[in-house]
């Protein structure tokens, strides 16, 4: 998935290379993940996603500097951000299915609807991005983010499945990490080729990570995160205003969501009025 640019700290500019490497390794070991719906976590996630999308060329820069999708408003959606100190270095958004659907409906609605029709509760791992200078630690950073995701859903009693759209060359690795099934060949998605993956039901995730002898290194790394009895790298919840109270009005103002919904609602109202006048039911 796209990655974002991240500024280099001025204090590191003149340090010897070996010192820089040791400094970076220390910062990796001290990383933590925040899972929350507060304004700071959401803003950090959406800024990283915005920068990654602009760099990749499928987003235009916005005044807010944040990547917003109407599906973020679906009840239950949360933001997951990895930090090194106070610096956000990677993020994703866990989007619950709801009134605004899922982002992947854009290209894969028939496949996702087939699971909905079977009674599965769908959610999506979206807006996954790692800041550019942290990509060399891809396995570690990803295991932190994905470990937080897995721990949150692994004990669910609902028939839940997660979907995610990935670049085709990441499909095999992601499938190994999450026990995914590849549902589609690559399709145009946000201007890039994308493949849709769907996981086993979350109730079956534990078996995937228990049987690590059969898996590759990324799966074993993930298992360590998932079953960590004392995850001092994980923080669930954060004090502060809810993101929708602090950020949503501004994000809606720079999007076309309200205009499109108003136009749709006006068509429905007009159709109802016509139907009421003629005795014919239209869209009602």
């Amino acid at each position: 998935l796209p990655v974002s640019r991240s500024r280099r700290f001025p204090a590191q500019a003149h340090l010897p290379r070996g010192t820089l490497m040791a400094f970076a390794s220390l910062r990796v070991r001290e990383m933590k993940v925040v899972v929350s719906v507060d304004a700071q976590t959401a803003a950090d996630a959406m800024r990283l996603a915005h920068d990654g999308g602009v760099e990749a060329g499928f987003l235009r820069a916005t005044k807010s500097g944040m990547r917003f999708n109407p599906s973020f408003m679906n009840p239950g959606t949360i933001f997951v951000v990895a930090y090194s100190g106070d610096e956000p270095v990677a993020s994703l958004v866990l989007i619950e299915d709801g009134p605004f659907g899922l982002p992947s409906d854009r290209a894969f609605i028939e496949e996702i609807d087939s699971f909905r029709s079977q009674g599965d509760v769908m959610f999506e791992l979206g807006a996954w991005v790692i800041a550019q200078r942290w990509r060399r630690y891809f396995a570690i950073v990803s295991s932190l983010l994905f470990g937080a995701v897995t721990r949150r859903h692994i004990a669910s009693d609902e028939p839940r499945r997660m979907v995610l759209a990935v670049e085709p060359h990441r499909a095999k690795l992601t499938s190994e990490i999450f026990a995914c099934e590849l549902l589609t060949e690559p399709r145009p998605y946000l201007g890039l080729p994308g493949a849709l993956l769907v996981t086993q039901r979350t109730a079956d995730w534990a078996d995937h990570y228990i049987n690590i002898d059969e898996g590759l290194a990324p799966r074993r790394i993930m298992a360590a995160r998932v079953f960590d009895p004392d995850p001092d790298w994980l923080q669930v919840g954060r004090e502060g205003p809810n993101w929708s109270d602090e950020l949503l009005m501004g994000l809606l103002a720079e999007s076309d969501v309200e205009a499109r919904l108003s136009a749709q609602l006006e068509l429905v109202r007009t159709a109802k009025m016509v139907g009421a006048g003629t005795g014919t039911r239209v869209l009602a």
Side-chain angles (χ1 to χ4, degrees):
L1 292 181
V3 293
S4 69
R5 300 185 186 279
S6 177
R7 62 184 181 278
R8 186 179 182 85
F9 290 154
Q12 299 181 38
H14 303 293
L15 291 175
R17 180 174 178 82
T19 304
L20 282 173
M21 292 295 289
F23 180 75
S25 297
L26 177 63
R27 297 190 69 198
V28 168
R29 289 197 298 271
E30 293 179 346
M31 277 186 182
K32 69 174 183 179
V33 174
V34 176
V35 179
S36 185
V37 293
D38 74 290
Q40 179 182 340
T41 307
D44 288 339
M46 287 189 279
R47 287 192 183 105
L48 278 169
H50 169 274
D51 291 350
V54 171
E55 181 182 358
F58 67 83
L59 286 182
R60 293 183 180 180
T62 63
K63 184 177 180 180
S64 68
M66 298 184 198
R67 177 183 174 185
F68 169 70
N69 188 295
S71 62
F72 293 177
M73 292 189 285
N74 288 343
T77 293
I78 59 172
F79 301 87
V80 183
V81 181
Y83 293 90
S84 176
D86 294 328
E87 179 190 4
V89 302
S91 63
L92 57 84
V93 186
L94 280 179
I95 305 154
E96 289 290 326
D97 205 1
F100 288 97
L102 296 173
S104 290
D105 284 340
R106 178 184 181 117
F108 308 104
I109 191 166
E110 297 296 337
E111 289 79 8
I112 297 173
D113 273 351
S114 70
F115 288 100
R116 290 175 173 131
S117 67
Q118 297 170 21
D120 287 320
V121 179
M122 309 302 291
F123 67 104
E124 180 165 346
L125 187 159
W128 167 28
V129 64
I130 300 176
Q132 187 179 54
R133 73 190 186 95
W134 292 92
R135 291 168 63 191
R136 71 181 68 178
Y137 305 110
F138 176 87
I140 296 173
V141 176
S142 296
S143 73
L144 288 166
L145 290 176
F146 298 160
V149 170
T150 305
R151 293 176 73 101
R152 182 174 180 85
H153 294 282
I154 199 168
S156 175
D157 293 328
E158 290 185 305
R160 294 175 62 79
R161 292 184 191 269
M162 184 175 75
V163 296
L164 56 165
V166 300
E167 291 174 312
H169 71 274
R170 292 195 189 277
K172 183 177 180 180
L173 175 60
T174 308
S175 296
E176 166 69 16
I177 292 173
F178 277 121
C180 294
E181 176 188 355
L182 178 64
L183 286 188
T184 68
E185 294 298 316
R187 294 178 186 170
Y189 180 63
L190 296 175
L192 299 170
L196 183 70
L197 303 178
V198 63
T199 68
Q200 301 172 354
R201 287 181 172 174
T202 55
D204 299 323
W205 284 6
D207 289 340
H208 179 67
Y209 296 112
I210 289 173
N211 298 318
I212 58 174
D213 290 341
E214 303 172 7
L216 302 176
R219 183 165 154 194
R220 294 195 293 272
I221 294 171
M222 270 289 291
R225 298 292 186 192
V226 171
F227 298 121
D228 186 346
D230 184 24
D232 56 359
W233 50 272
L234 179 61
Q235 176 182 332
V236 179
R238 175 187 262 174
E239 292 185 4
N242 187 282
W243 79 275
S244 60
D245 296 334
E246 189 86 358
L247 305 173
L248 185 54
M249 289 302 102
L251 293 169
L252 285 173
E254 73 177 15
S255 75
D256 64 348
V257 176
E258 287 184 284
R260 287 189 291 111
L261 290 176
S262 295
Q264 291 170 346
L265 185 58
E266 182 59 30
L267 286 173
V268 172
R269 286 173 174 167
T270 301
K272 283 186 173 181
M273 291 176 63
V274 171
T278 63
T280 303
R281 292 188 64 190
V282 181
L283 296 179

